Amino acid sequence: MTGEQPLARRSAPLSPQREAEQPLVIIVDDDASVREALSELILSAGFQSICFASTREFLDADVLDTPGCLVLDVRMPGASGLDLQDRLAKSGNAKPIIFLTGHGDIPMTVQAMKAGAVDFLTKPARDQTLLDAVVAGIAMDTARRAAAVVVKRNTERLETLTPRERQVLREVARGRVNKQIAFDLGISEITVKLHRGNVMRKMEVGSIGELIRAWETLPAATRDAGAAKPLA
């Protein structure tokens, strides 16, 4: 991995539209020559890149919300790459991470991989090996973001349901038929059918199968909310 690249080309801010269209590979390494070489390699593969010399510099830049992945050195002045991985995990940020280090060992590799790293590579890594890891990381982030959109959409739709409609939805998701739901909730089958119709309309689904799949995308805490509260 060799080559020189002007800083402006590497780290110029991206427009909001470009950020939405192109993944950003974030490189954090205290070695300037490594940053330059990695950035050139990433650009040659058609991805945008941005470089930082430390974890603090990276965190201060506020670029975590952009789609893409991280390429991290392990040992740097201040917080290490593993420290950053731990911090991101604790904050709920699942940004895919590829470790690239000249100082790796087996315990360090195990720690990183157990914590969800995409790969743990030793310098000098083959260009194709690194690019394969970057592609995998970007794919993971793309899938995660798509899933998050679905969860947000279904959560917002769930919030439009009445408490009774949520009860009916929960019972339908359990595989209960109208007669069983009517008995359990102390209402008529006709009322259950009306509630179920309203649920499907508000959740914007066309079949019970779609309704169950939408329900299953919701976080467990959201599905369980209000489950033990009987209605009059």
Side-chain angles (χ1 to χ4, degrees), residues 116-148:
V118 177
D119 210 337
F120 194 101
L121 306 176
T122 303
K123 297 174 183 176
R126 290 180 61 250
D127 288 356
Q128 192 57 53
T129 300
L130 177 60
L131 289 176
D132 286 346
V134 166
V135 169
I138 289 173
M140 289 171 60
D141 196 48
T142 300
R144 177 182 66 85
R145 287 171 177 274

Short mmCIF file of all heavy atoms in Angstrom, two decimals, residues 116-148:
data_model
loop_
_atom_site.label_atom_id
_atom_site.label_comp_id
_atom_site.label_asym_id
_atom_site.label_seq_id
_atom_site.Cartn_x
_atom_site.Cartn_y
_atom_site.Cartn_z
N GLY A 116 -17.02 -8.34 17.96
CA GLY A 116 -17.75 -8.08 16.72
C GLY A 116 -16.96 -7.50 15.57
O GLY A 116 -17.56 -7.05 14.58
N ALA A 117 -15.62 -7.49 15.66
CA ALA A 117 -14.82 -6.95 14.56
C ALA A 117 -15.06 -7.75 13.29
O ALA A 117 -15.27 -8.96 13.32
CB ALA A 117 -13.33 -6.98 14.93
N VAL A 118 -15.01 -7.07 12.15
CA VAL A 118 -15.15 -7.74 10.86
C VAL A 118 -13.93 -8.61 10.59
O VAL A 118 -14.03 -9.74 10.11
CB VAL A 118 -15.32 -6.70 9.73
CG1 VAL A 118 -15.39 -7.39 8.37
CG2 VAL A 118 -16.55 -5.85 9.96
N ASP A 119 -12.74 -8.07 10.89
CA ASP A 119 -11.50 -8.81 10.67
C ASP A 119 -10.40 -8.18 11.50
O ASP A 119 -10.52 -7.04 11.97
CB ASP A 119 -11.11 -8.81 9.19
CG ASP A 119 -10.36 -10.07 8.78
OD1 ASP A 119 -9.76 -10.72 9.68
OD2 ASP A 119 -10.37 -10.41 7.60
N PHE A 120 -9.32 -8.93 11.70
CA PHE A 120 -8.15 -8.45 12.45
C PHE A 120 -6.94 -8.79 11.60
O PHE A 120 -6.52 -9.95 11.53
CB PHE A 120 -8.08 -9.15 13.81
CG PHE A 120 -7.14 -8.48 14.78
CD1 PHE A 120 -7.62 -7.65 15.78
CD2 PHE A 120 -5.77 -8.69 14.70
CE1 PHE A 120 -6.76 -7.03 16.68
CE2 PHE A 120 -4.90 -8.09 15.59
CZ PHE A 120 -5.40 -7.25 16.58
N LEU A 121 -6.39 -7.79 10.93
CA LEU A 121 -5.32 -7.98 9.97
C LEU A 121 -4.00 -7.43 10.50
O LEU A 121 -3.98 -6.44 11.23
CB LEU A 121 -5.67 -7.29 8.65
CG LEU A 121 -7.01 -7.68 8.03
CD1 LEU A 121 -7.27 -6.85 6.78
CD2 LEU A 121 -7.05 -9.17 7.70
N THR A 122 -2.92 -8.07 10.10
CA THR A 122 -1.58 -7.66 10.51
C THR A 122 -0.88 -6.92 9.37
O THR A 122 -0.92 -7.36 8.22
CB THR A 122 -0.74 -8.89 10.93
OG1 THR A 122 -1.42 -9.58 11.98
CG2 THR A 122 0.63 -8.46 11.42
N LYS A 123 -0.26 -5.79 9.69
CA LYS A 123 0.50 -5.04 8.70
C LYS A 123 1.79 -5.79 8.35
O LYS A 123 2.42 -6.35 9.25
CB LYS A 123 0.88 -3.66 9.26
CG LYS A 123 -0.30 -2.76 9.59
CD LYS A 123 0.20 -1.49 10.26
CE LYS A 123 -0.96 -0.60 10.67
NZ LYS A 123 -0.49 0.59 11.42
N PRO A 124 2.19 -5.79 7.08
CA PRO A 124 1.45 -5.23 5.94
C PRO A 124 0.44 -6.25 5.43
O PRO A 124 0.79 -7.39 5.16
CB PRO A 124 2.56 -4.97 4.93
CG PRO A 124 3.58 -6.03 5.23
CD PRO A 124 3.53 -6.27 6.71
N ALA A 125 -0.80 -5.83 5.31
CA ALA A 125 -1.86 -6.73 4.81
C ALA A 125 -1.92 -6.64 3.29
O ALA A 125 -1.62 -5.60 2.71
CB ALA A 125 -3.20 -6.34 5.41
N ARG A 126 -2.30 -7.74 2.65
CA ARG A 126 -2.51 -7.71 1.20
C ARG A 126 -3.65 -6.75 0.88
O ARG A 126 -4.67 -6.72 1.57
CB ARG A 126 -2.86 -9.10 0.68
CG ARG A 126 -1.72 -10.10 0.72
CD ARG A 126 -2.16 -11.46 0.18
NE ARG A 126 -2.60 -11.40 -1.21
CZ ARG A 126 -3.85 -11.54 -1.60
NH1 ARG A 126 -4.82 -11.76 -0.70
NH2 ARG A 126 -4.18 -11.48 -2.89
N ASP A 127 -3.46 -5.99 -0.18
CA ASP A 127 -4.48 -5.01 -0.56
C ASP A 127 -5.85 -5.67 -0.73
O ASP A 127 -6.86 -5.16 -0.23
CB ASP A 127 -4.09 -4.32 -1.87
CG ASP A 127 -2.94 -3.35 -1.70
OD1 ASP A 127 -2.49 -3.15 -0.55
OD2 ASP A 127 -2.48 -2.79 -2.71
N GLN A 128 -5.90 -6.80 -1.45
CA GLN A 128 -7.18 -7.45 -1.71
C GLN A 128 -7.82 -7.97 -0.43
O GLN A 128 -9.04 -7.93 -0.27
CB GLN A 128 -7.02 -8.59 -2.71
CG GLN A 128 -8.35 -9.11 -3.24
CD GLN A 128 -9.17 -8.02 -3.91
OE1 GLN A 128 -8.69 -7.31 -4.79
NE2 GLN A 128 -10.42 -7.85 -3.45
N THR A 129 -7.00 -8.45 0.50
CA THR A 129 -7.53 -8.92 1.78
C THR A 129 -8.20 -7.79 2.54
O THR A 129 -9.31 -7.94 3.09
CB THR A 129 -6.41 -9.53 2.64
OG1 THR A 129 -5.81 -10.62 1.94
CG2 THR A 129 -6.95 -10.04 3.97
N LEU A 130 -7.54 -6.64 2.55
CA LEU A 130 -8.12 -5.49 3.23
C LEU A 130 -9.38 -5.01 2.53
O LEU A 130 -10.39 -4.72 3.18
CB LEU A 130 -7.09 -4.36 3.30
CG LEU A 130 -7.59 -3.04 3.93
CD1 LEU A 130 -8.06 -3.28 5.36
CD2 LEU A 130 -6.51 -1.97 3.88
N LEU A 131 -9.34 -4.94 1.21
CA LEU A 131 -10.51 -4.48 0.47
C LEU A 131 -11.69 -5.44 0.64
O LEU A 131 -12.84 -5.00 0.73
CB LEU A 131 -10.17 -4.32 -1.01
CG LEU A 131 -9.25 -3.15 -1.36
CD1 LEU A 131 -8.92 -3.16 -2.85
CD2 LEU A 131 -9.88 -1.82 -0.97
N ASP A 132 -11.41 -6.73 0.70
CA ASP A 132 -12.48 -7.70 0.94
C ASP A 132 -13.14 -7.44 2.30
O ASP A 132 -14.37 -7.52 2.44
CB ASP A 132 -11.93 -9.13 0.90
CG ASP A 132 -11.60 -9.59 -0.51
OD1 ASP A 132 -12.03 -8.94 -1.47
OD2 ASP A 132 -10.87 -10.61 -0.64
N ALA A 133 -12.31 -7.13 3.30
CA ALA A 133 -12.84 -6.84 4.63
C ALA A 133 -13.66 -5.55 4.62
O ALA A 133 -14.72 -5.47 5.25
CB ALA A 133 -11.70 -6.74 5.64
N VAL A 134 -13.18 -4.55 3.88
CA VAL A 134 -13.91 -3.29 3.77
C VAL A 134 -15.27 -3.51 3.11
O VAL A 134 -16.30 -2.99 3.56
CB VAL A 134 -13.08 -2.25 2.98
CG1 VAL A 134 -13.95 -1.07 2.56
CG2 VAL A 134 -11.90 -1.77 3.81
N VAL A 135 -15.30 -4.27 2.03
CA VAL A 135 -16.55 -4.56 1.35
C VAL A 135 -17.52 -5.29 2.28
O VAL A 135 -18.72 -4.98 2.33
CB VAL A 135 -16.30 -5.41 0.07
CG1 VAL A 135 -17.60 -5.94 -0.50
CG2 VAL A 135 -15.56 -4.57 -0.97
N ALA A 136 -16.99 -6.24 3.05
CA ALA A 136 -17.83 -6.97 4.01
C ALA A 136 -18.37 -6.03 5.08
O ALA A 136 -19.54 -6.11 5.46
CB ALA A 136 -17.03 -8.10 4.65
N GLY A 137 -17.51 -5.13 5.57
CA GLY A 137 -17.94 -4.18 6.59
C GLY A 137 -19.02 -3.25 6.09
O GLY A 137 -20.00 -2.97 6.79
N ILE A 138 -18.85 -2.75 4.87
CA ILE A 138 -19.85 -1.86 4.28
C ILE A 138 -21.17 -2.59 4.08
O ILE A 138 -22.26 -2.04 4.34
CB ILE A 138 -19.33 -1.27 2.96
CG1 ILE A 138 -18.20 -0.27 3.25
CG2 ILE A 138 -20.45 -0.60 2.17
CD1 ILE A 138 -17.50 0.23 2.01
N ALA A 139 -21.09 -3.85 3.65
CA ALA A 139 -22.31 -4.65 3.47
C ALA A 139 -23.04 -4.84 4.80
O ALA A 139 -24.27 -4.75 4.87
CB ALA A 139 -21.97 -6.00 2.85
N MET A 140 -22.27 -5.09 5.85
CA MET A 140 -22.87 -5.25 7.18
C MET A 140 -23.56 -3.97 7.62
O MET A 140 -24.67 -3.99 8.16
CB MET A 140 -21.79 -5.64 8.20
CG MET A 140 -21.26 -7.05 8.04
SD MET A 140 -19.81 -7.36 9.09
CE MET A 140 -20.51 -7.08 10.72
N ASP A 141 -22.90 -2.83 7.40
CA ASP A 141 -23.48 -1.56 7.82
C ASP A 141 -24.72 -1.23 7.00
O ASP A 141 -25.71 -0.71 7.54
CB ASP A 141 -22.44 -0.44 7.68
CG ASP A 141 -22.85 0.80 8.47
OD1 ASP A 141 -23.23 0.66 9.64
OD2 ASP A 141 -22.78 1.91 7.90
N THR A 142 -24.69 -1.54 5.71
CA THR A 142 -25.85 -1.31 4.86
C THR A 142 -27.04 -2.13 5.33
O THR A 142 -28.17 -1.62 5.43
CB THR A 142 -25.51 -1.68 3.39
OG1 THR A 142 -24.44 -0.86 2.94
CG2 THR A 142 -26.72 -1.48 2.49
N ALA A 143 -26.78 -3.40 5.66
CA ALA A 143 -27.86 -4.27 6.14
C ALA A 143 -28.40 -3.78 7.49
O ALA A 143 -29.61 -3.78 7.73
CB ALA A 143 -27.36 -5.71 6.25
N ARG A 144 -27.49 -3.36 8.36
CA ARG A 144 -27.90 -2.88 9.69
C ARG A 144 -28.77 -1.63 9.56
O ARG A 144 -29.79 -1.49 10.23
CB ARG A 144 -26.66 -2.57 10.53
CG ARG A 144 -26.97 -1.99 11.90
CD ARG A 144 -25.69 -1.68 12.66
NE ARG A 144 -24.94 -0.61 12.03
CZ ARG A 144 -25.15 0.68 12.25
NH1 ARG A 144 -26.13 1.06 13.06
NH2 ARG A 144 -24.41 1.60 11.66
N ARG A 145 -28.36 -0.73 8.68
CA ARG A 145 -29.11 0.50 8.50
C ARG A 145 -30.48 0.23 7.88
O ARG A 145 -31.48 0.87 8.26
CB ARG A 145 -28.32 1.48 7.63
CG ARG A 145 -27.14 2.10 8.35
CD ARG A 145 -26.23 2.89 7.43
NE ARG A 145 -25.17 3.51 8.19
CZ ARG A 145 -25.27 4.69 8.80
NH1 ARG A 145 -26.40 5.40 8.69
NH2 ARG A 145 -24.28 5.18 9.50
N ALA A 146 -30.53 -0.70 6.94
CA ALA A 146 -31.82 -1.05 6.33
C ALA A 146 -32.76 -1.65 7.37
O ALA A 146 -33.96 -1.34 7.40
CB ALA A 146 -31.60 -2.03 5.18
N ALA A 147 -32.21 -2.51 8.22
CA ALA A 147 -33.02 -3.12 9.29
C ALA A 147 -33.51 -2.06 10.27
O ALA A 147 -34.66 -2.11 10.73
CB ALA A 147 -32.21 -4.19 10.02
N ALA A 148 -32.66 -1.09 10.57
CA ALA A 148 -33.05 -0.02 11.50
C ALA A 148 -34.18 0.82 10.93
O ALA A 148 -35.08 1.26 11.67
CB ALA A 148 -31.84 0.86 11.81
#
